[in-house]
Amino acid sequence: MRECLAVPWSDRQSSSPPEPLSPWKLLGQTEPKASKRMYIRGIQPFPLLPLPQNLMKFLAFLSLLTLVLQEAGTASLLGEGEREERSPEEDDTYASLHVENHTLSIEDYSEVIDLSSYEELADYGDQIPEAKISSLTLPTRTSPTSTVAPRTLSPNLTTAGPTATGLLNSQSSHGLPTCLVCVCLGSSVYCDDADLENIPPLPQMTTYLYARFNHISHIRAGDFKGLTKLRRIDLSGNSISSIHNDALRLLPALQDLILLENQLAALPVLPSGIEFLDVRLNRLQSSGIQPETFMALEQLQFLYLADNLLDSIPGPLPLSLRSLHLQNNMIETMESDTFCDTGEHRHERQQLEDIRLDGNPINLSLFPEAYFCLPRLPVGRFT
């Protein structure tokens, strides 16, 4: 058995328990006095622990370091911004790579492009060499093993030119081929406003001729010779005063003849196949129209003779006629059989629906027997 040391009860109560170890003693500091409000019955107060001085210094150093780093970062960002905003004069290399936003205005446009020297910059006339051909020798290719001498063409060699029917063989009054002065499109030839004084030689395939607004004054006998396919001739706006009787008579395919706004005083012999004849705005007189001129045109449908010097209605008129314009002439009277056959009252001209006699001094109401065969009365003065 173990031996135990007996301690009296009185001694056990009188002896005090050991003093608890304070944290302030561990840190080597004096324990602060606690407030009375910290005491609770049966519980020993534990004071708030202030931070050691070394620790506070360390935290202050960290705060200061953070501020320094922030300032350093801001300075670096400002430096980059200044480098981006630097002008080209400060750095030549940077100026060659960086293009600023620059808007051109009308005032400084002339500084960028000098339009006054444009002709000098675009004039290449002196730089184009002239090509000189000294002979007709053709370049030949010879192989290293070939022994054949190159062939040359003789300068006196003549080549066959285009035929008489070719487009470029016909010479105009300018001394150039007709299709260089005029425009040739298929079988149509356009010589409008080409300063022509005569009808140019035309290709034999010509079907439509337009030679308007020129200075043509006369139509010669051979101007349309051989043009058997010619269907339409338009010579409006010239100064034609005469047409030879043989100029149009031998054109079997001619259908439309337009001589508007010329100086004709008489009509030539016309081919029988004409369907459309326009001689307005001329100096045409009744004496310049032969009595059987229009009766021989069995296919004539449109006859326009307005704005001339006619003093009577030309006739007799073919039965195929559909439109007759005679306004603005000097017509004062008409014959009773001008439009209708007075011997046959059943005669009707249903096709002739358009007759214009307005602008003439004639009083149409004085000739009622002249209209009984017409589907409509002529246009003109009836009072």
Side-chain angles (χ1 to χ4, degrees):
M1 295 180 61
R2 292 182 180 179
E3 293 181 359
C4 296
L5 179 61
V7 179
W9 178 255
S10 58
D11 295 340
R12 217 181 310 176
Q13 292 180 348
S14 62
S15 61
S16 60
E19 184 179 359
L21 185 59
S22 173
W24 304 107
K25 292 183 179 181
L26 294 176
L27 296 175
Q29 297 182 9
T30 306
E31 181 178 0
K33 295 182 180 181
S35 175
K36 293 181 179 181
R37 290 177 297 177
M38 299 293 294
Y39 288 98
I40 302 175
R41 183 179 297 181
I43 300 177
Q44 185 177 2
F46 188 83
L48 297 175
L49 297 178
L51 296 177
Q53 295 181 359
N54 294 334
L55 183 59
M56 294 178 63
K57 292 180 180 180
F58 178 72
L59 294 177
F61 174 76
L62 289 180
S63 301
L64 182 60
L65 180 60
T66 302
L67 294 176
V68 171
L69 292 177
Q70 291 179 355
E71 293 294 333
T74 305
S76 63
L77 293 176
L78 292 176
E80 292 179 0
E82 292 177 357
R83 285 196 300 272
E84 291 180 356
E85 296 177 357
R86 280 188 302 178
S87 60
E89 292 78 10
E90 296 177 2
D91 191 356
D92 295 337
T93 304
Y94 180 77
S96 63
L97 297 177
H98 181 69
V99 180
E100 295 183 350
N101 295 329
H102 184 69
T103 303
L104 291 177
S105 62
I106 299 178
E107 289 76 8
D108 56 5
Y109 185 76
S110 60
E111 299 178 0
V112 180
I113 301 177
D114 187 9
L115 299 178
S116 61
S117 61
Y118 179 74
E119 296 181 355
E120 300 177 1
L121 297 176
D123 187 8
Y124 300 102
D126 298 334
Q127 301 179 12
I128 300 177
E130 295 182 356
K132 297 181 179 180
I133 301 175
S134 57
S135 65
L136 297 177
T137 304
L138 296 177
T140 58
R141 284 172 28 180
T142 58
S143 60
T145 59
S146 176
T147 58
V148 180
R151 295 186 300 174
T152 59
L153 294 176
S154 174
N156 298 326
L157 181 63
T158 59
T159 58
T163 62
T165 59
L167 294 179
L168 298 179
N169 191 50
S170 302
Q171 300 290 328
S172 66
S173 59
H174 295 272
L176 297 173
T178 300
C179 290
L180 293 181
V181 177
C182 306
V183 177
C184 300
L185 296 177
S187 59
S188 300
V189 179
Y190 298 89
C191 299
D192 295 342
D193 199 10
D195 293 331
L196 298 178
E197 297 180 357
N198 298 293
I199 299 295
L202 301 172
Q204 289 187 359
M205 66 180 67
T206 303
T207 305
Y208 302 95
L209 171 63
Y210 299 90
R212 298 167 291 194
F213 313 113
N214 286 284
H215 308 290
I216 302 173
S217 58
H218 302 280
I219 304 296
R220 299 165 296 185
D223 284 344
F224 304 110
K225 185 178 181 179
L227 302 179
T228 57
K229 297 182 179 180
L230 191 59
R231 298 177 58 186
R232 183 183 183 92
I233 298 176
D234 190 347
L235 299 175
S236 303
N238 283 274
S239 303
I240 301 174
S241 59
S242 64
I243 300 176
H244 197 279
N245 282 330
D246 294 333
L248 304 173
R249 181 174 57 181
L250 301 177
L251 298 178
L254 187 62
Q255 295 180 356
D256 301 338
L257 178 60
I258 304 174
L259 301 171
L260 173 68
E261 199 173 353
N262 280 280
Q263 300 179 10
L264 285 172
L267 289 180
V269 178
L270 300 173
S272 60
I274 285 186
E275 300 178 2
F276 184 95
L277 179 61
D278 188 353
V279 201
R280 292 174 295 165
L281 294 169
N282 277 264
R283 298 179 180 178
L284 194 60
Q285 301 178 8
S286 297
S287 59
I289 302 176
Q290 298 299 321
E292 300 294 330
T293 298
F294 299 126
M295 194 62 184
L297 306 179
E298 298 179 355
Q299 301 181 22
L300 183 62
Q301 300 183 29
F302 303 92
L303 179 58
Y304 297 149
L305 302 175
D307 298 286
N308 279 282
L309 303 176
L310 301 176
D311 55 10
S312 63
I313 299 175
L317 300 172
L319 298 178
S320 59
L321 195 62
R322 299 174 56 186
S323 179
L324 175 62
H325 287 189
L326 295 168
Q327 63 267 35
N328 301 324
N329 277 280
M330 301 165 51
I331 300 174
E332 298 180 356
T333 184
M334 74 168 65
E335 299 294 334
S336 59
D337 61 348
T338 301
F339 305 114
C340 305
D341 187 0
T342 56
E344 183 62 43
H345 291 279
R346 295 181 182 179
H347 174 65
E348 295 182 358
R349 302 191 63 161
Q350 296 295 334
Q351 294 184 348
L352 188 55
E353 297 182 351
D354 181 22
I355 300 177
R356 296 282 304 273
L357 288 169
D358 48 309
N360 287 276
I362 186 173
N363 185 356
L364 298 179
S365 63
L366 301 178
F367 310 95
E369 68 278 4
Y371 318 127
F372 69 90
C373 66
L374 300 177
R376 289 187 177 87
L377 291 175
V379 176
R381 185 171 66 90
F382 282 88
T383 57

